[in-house]
Amino acid sequence: MNLQEVTELIQSVRGNLAKVIVGKEQGVDLLLTALLAGGHVLLEDVPGTGKTLLAKVLARSLDCSFKRIQFTPDLLPSDLSGINFYNQKTGEFQFRPGPVFANILLADEINRATPRTQSSLLECMEERQITIDGVTHELEAPFLVIATQNPIDNQGTFPLPEAQLDRFLMRITTGYPSSAEGIHILQRFRQNNPFEQTLAVVNGQDVLSAQQFTSTVKVSDDLLTYIIQITEATRKSPAVKLGASPRASGALLRSAQGYALIRGRDYVTPDDIKTVAVPVLAHRLLLNHGLKSREGQAAELVEQVLHQVEVPTEAASFTRSGRVD
């Protein structure tokens, strides 16, 4: 797959999403960036802003196997992974796979499940496999977890631990629509639901090819240094108890490569890194007073870091080869 083919794939999926989703252009671009980068997404927003619908439209657009599971306090790890049950007819144990055996898993209201159930996703998200009763099962690629949570309602919820948050490539918020977008939503949905007419525009193999191409997007050595300087700055901040990890540096690199493709380029610029920095880093930071990014303070800290860290001086002369002239 080449740059033109990846660009056409992005435009096809984006166009399909636009038939159902009104506005949210930046959120859609970040979601597609995570898809290209092969990372998982945490959609965090107030109720009724289209988090679940956005995930469902993306899944249908990709012609991949899709499972949705509603997380509740009584949900067990085996409800996600599957179980070995005894078949009396055959006299043998048989494996019945759970919803994690899908290309795209929508974990709706993930913070309503207990930490034990939440942690059952760790192996799936990091290693694309799951171990059940000592047997390891590979998950079919592509594998994408899209989790949603409500940052306002804390009653009956269990905050995601830092180890779980670190497995999400991005945390995306879109907020309320504008007045004009609100009117457009009413007009679009007043007679029928356009989601029901949504058809697939690409397949799983197309996605895998695009992800492989993403890893070839050029990044200069100056920008690699810039990424490291940003993540190290979060660790040195006196307001931060737990800064961005080396995994976060890799996530920032992959996300910048994916966002460059969203912009139609096969090379990364400093603006790509700046655009994805908050969605990639903010949810990974633990501040000294215990507040996480849902209060917005971690996002503000990342913005401060971006202003403090010097951008490579010759960034304006980046060429399509990824080198500095």
Side-chain angles (χ1 to χ4, degrees):
M1 185 170 281
N2 55 39
L3 177 61
Q4 181 179 351
E5 291 172 333
V6 173
T7 301
E8 290 174 354
L9 180 148
I10 293 169
Q11 294 300 331
S12 296
V13 177
R14 183 191 277 138
N16 226 32
L17 290 169
K19 294 177 182 178
V20 181
I21 305 298
V22 177
K24 302 183 185 292
E25 287 84 2
Q26 183 64 13
V28 167
D29 283 349
L30 290 175
L31 182 59
L32 294 179
T33 297
L35 176 68
L36 292 172
H40 309 292
V41 174
L42 180 63
L43 293 177
E44 184 178 277
D45 227 324
V46 295
T49 51
K51 301 184 297 294
T52 301
L53 180 61
L54 177 59
K56 290 169 64 177
V57 177
L58 176 65
R60 183 167 291 188
S61 300
L62 302 182
D63 193 24
C64 293
S65 59
F66 169 72
K67 296 289 178 64
R68 175 184 181 271
I69 186 163
Q70 184 70 42
F71 278 60
T72 56
D74 60 348
L75 191 72
L76 299 175
S78 58
D79 294 328
L80 291 173
S81 62
I83 59 172
N84 287 307
F85 74 100
Y86 184 73
N87 189 326
Q88 294 183 345
K89 292 183 178 180
T90 62
E92 297 177 344
F93 281 94
Q94 294 182 354
F95 177 61
R96 180 176 295 166
V100 296
F101 289 88
N103 296 123
I104 299 178
L105 173 65
L106 173 57
D108 226 347
E109 295 187 296
I110 189 173
N111 56 331
R112 292 199 176 277
T114 61
R116 180 187 176 195
T117 301
Q118 292 174 8
S119 64
S120 65
L121 282 176
L122 285 174
E123 183 183 10
C124 302
M125 296 172 67
E126 182 65 20
E127 303 176 36
R128 268 63 172 181
Q129 66 180 33
I130 188 166
T131 302
I132 304 167
D133 294 339
V135 179
T136 300
H137 302 265
E138 298 291 334
L139 299 177
E140 182 182 359
F143 177 67
L144 172 66
V145 174
I146 302 176
T148 71
Q149 68 174 2
N150 173 11
I152 304 301
D153 185 9
N154 293 322
Q155 185 173 1
T157 63
F158 303 87
L160 295 175
E162 281 67 36
Q164 185 86 31
L165 287 170
D166 203 30
R167 263 63 176 190
F168 286 102
L169 182 75
M170 289 186 183
R171 181 184 72 96
I172 300 174
T173 61
T174 56
Y176 288 115
S178 65
S179 297
E181 290 171 344
I183 294 172
H184 194 180
I185 291 171
L186 295 179
Q187 292 172 337
R188 180 171 292 185
F189 285 84
R190 64 181 171 184
Q191 292 185 342
N192 52 53
N193 187 347
F195 170 72
E196 297 175 357
Q197 283 77 47
T198 301
L199 300 176
V201 291
V202 298
N203 57 44
Q205 188 56 52
D206 293 330
V207 174
L208 290 176
S209 298
Q211 290 176 346
Q212 292 171 359
F213 184 81
T214 302
S215 64
T216 69
V217 171
K218 303 174 186 66
V219 188
S220 72
D221 290 342
D222 284 345
L223 290 185
L224 293 178
T225 301
Y226 183 51
I227 289 173
I228 294 300
Q229 289 174 339
I230 291 172
T231 53
E232 287 182 344
T234 66
R235 304 170 201 161
K236 297 175 182 177
S237 172
V240 176
K241 181 178 180 180
L242 182 66
S245 66
R247 181 187 285 122
S249 301
L252 188 54
L253 170 61
R254 298 197 313 275
S255 299
Q257 289 176 302
Y259 193 76
L261 288 176
I262 295 294
R263 300 291 94 186
R265 288 180 274 100
D266 61 356
Y267 61 96
V268 172
T269 68
D271 284 342
D272 297 329
I273 298 172
K274 289 181 178 181
T275 300
V276 300
V278 171
V280 170
L281 298 180
H283 67 284
R284 304 171 191 268
L285 305 183
L286 180 63
L287 306 188
N288 277 323
H289 43 72
L291 294 177
K292 294 190 178 68
S293 57
R294 61 176 176 269
E295 283 80 16
Q297 300 204 18
E300 293 176 6
L301 190 145
V302 174
E303 293 284 2
Q304 293 174 8
V305 165
L306 293 175
H307 283 94
Q308 294 167 0
V309 176
E310 184 179 359
V311 179
T313 55
E314 296 181 322
S317 61
F318 275 79
T319 67
R320 292 187 62 82
S321 66
R323 297 189 298 271
V324 177
D325 296 331

